[in-house]
Amino acid sequence: MPATKEGCNAPNNKKRRSVKLPVLGDTASSHLTIAPSRTSLWRAAALICLNVLMIAHIVHWKIAGETISPIEPSEAMYTLQNGAINAGFIFFILAIAATLIFGRFVCGWGCHVLALQDLCAWMLKKVGLRPRPFRSRLLIYIPLVVALYMFVWPTVSRLISRPQGEPLFPAFSNHLITTDFWATFPPVWIAIPFLFICGFVTVYFLGSKGFCTYACPYGGFFALADKVAPGRIRVTDACNGCGHCTAVCTSNVTV
């Protein structure tokens, strides 16, 4: 039986149902704006104070003739090599212990090289130079190689070259006070170009935290300690996925 005109239009005679869909209005636009980081000013102040204290440390040595040994983690290498317990070794141990509790904050708040990189990145931005990072999988092995050289090679070297009957580990001695503050540092004519390389060159070719990511031998120790720290930064159920943390982080961390 052929369909009639009324039969074809019958479904259209039913009452249409309308479903109201949620629409994002202008009121949500404020939540899409990246909020400025309030912590950045405090962190900048902490890093400035750190560099002022470093300068004061050198000035004290120049005036008094002796001072506390360099408070630099690299000094731990000489503790393992020569048994010299210095301020740098104690600082490194305390930094790892603090990271085990509070999380990885030393890199962001207590590293003079990070302050140098932040300053150089800011200056490059001011003059309109945009970094062009070089990427290679081989770069991730550089911190491991440097760490093995600094903290493992001294013991391996003693194992190979020590006379028969000599203990593997040297006798520990107190080197907290020194009269030759610059003994373990390179001369000035090498130190200044090295700071230039760690700053502008590294930032331009490896990114804003290029030295931290591809050259620092201490980051691995802090990263392992951070994994079990109760005070570490975590993504919890309170996160709404706005992406602000990732956007404002200058260390290229994807939260």
Side-chain angles (χ1 to χ4, degrees), residues 149-224:
Y149 169 74
M150 293 179 62
F151 303 112
V152 177
W153 173 248
T155 302
V156 174
S157 178
R158 287 182 62 86
L159 179 63
I160 296 175
S161 60
R162 67 189 174 107
Q164 187 176 4
E166 184 176 328
L168 177 60
F169 296 99
F172 292 105
S173 56
N174 186 351
H175 283 260
L176 294 177
I177 304 297
T178 181
T179 56
D180 192 358
F181 180 84
W182 214 266
T184 57
F185 293 152
V188 176
W189 60 274
I190 293 180
I192 293 178
F194 180 76
L195 291 176
F196 179 82
I197 293 173
C198 288
F200 291 106
V201 176
T202 303
V203 169
Y204 186 81
F205 289 107
L206 296 179
S208 60
K209 296 297 185 297
F211 182 86
C212 303
T213 306
Y214 301 115
C216 179
Y218 319 120
F221 295 95
F222 295 131
L224 291 176

Side-chain angles (χ1 to χ4, degrees), residues 76 78-86 89 169-175:
Y78 302 102
T79 303
L80 299 175
Q81 185 174 3
N82 304 321
I85 298 179
N86 48 50
F89 174 76
F169 296 99
F172 292 105
S173 56
N174 186 351
H175 283 260

